[in-house]
Amino acid sequence: VCDDLLSLKDKAVHPTSKKPYIKAASGGRDNSPEGLQNGFTHAFVFEFNNEEDRNFYLKQDEAHLAFVATLEGLVDRAQVLDYTPGKY
C-alpha cells in the first residue's frame, strides 16, 4: 500500500499537460523515540506546485481516487495536514 501511494507521483497526470504534476512525494514508517505518535505508524508528504494542483488531486485525479478506494478496510484512521511553506 505504501509503495502504491508513493507511485502516485508518477501515475497522477495533470488534466492540461497530460504529465505527472506532483512535485515531490516521500514517506515511511515512524521511528521516533519520543512516543508522541498518537497511534500513527506511517507518515507521507506530497508537495504540489500550487493549491489548484492539490485540489485537483484530492477531488478529481482518477489515479488518486482509485487508490483511496483500495484503502477501505486497510486503514483504521488517517490524519491530513495541508500547509503552505513559510506561512505561519
Side-chain angles (χ1 to χ4, degrees):
V1 171
C2 296
D3 290 335
D4 291 342
L5 175 59
L6 293 173
S7 75
L8 290 174
K9 182 181 181 300
D10 298 318
K11 291 180 180 177
V13 177
H14 192 277
T16 305
S17 71
K18 307 297 184 207
K19 295 180 181 180
Y21 64 96
I22 297 172
K23 189 174 179 180
S26 64
R29 180 179 271 285
D30 169 63
N31 64 11
S32 174
E34 296 178 283
L36 300 174
Q37 299 84 344
N38 294 316
F40 290 98
T41 59
H42 294 72
F44 299 90
V45 175
F46 278 64
E47 186 176 349
F48 298 90
N49 287 313
N50 53 55
E51 284 186 37
E52 180 181 278
D53 286 353
R54 189 258 336 253
N55 291 342
F56 173 79
Y57 173 80
L58 293 176
K59 299 174 184 173
Q60 299 175 357
D61 188 280
E62 292 179 14
H64 175 246
L65 296 175
F67 170 77
V68 170
T70 70
L71 298 178
E72 188 172 336
L74 294 176
V75 176
D76 292 330
R77 66 185 181 133
Q79 174 102 24
V80 177
L81 299 170
D82 292 340
Y83 66 92
T84 301
K87 290 191 177 182
Y88 303 102

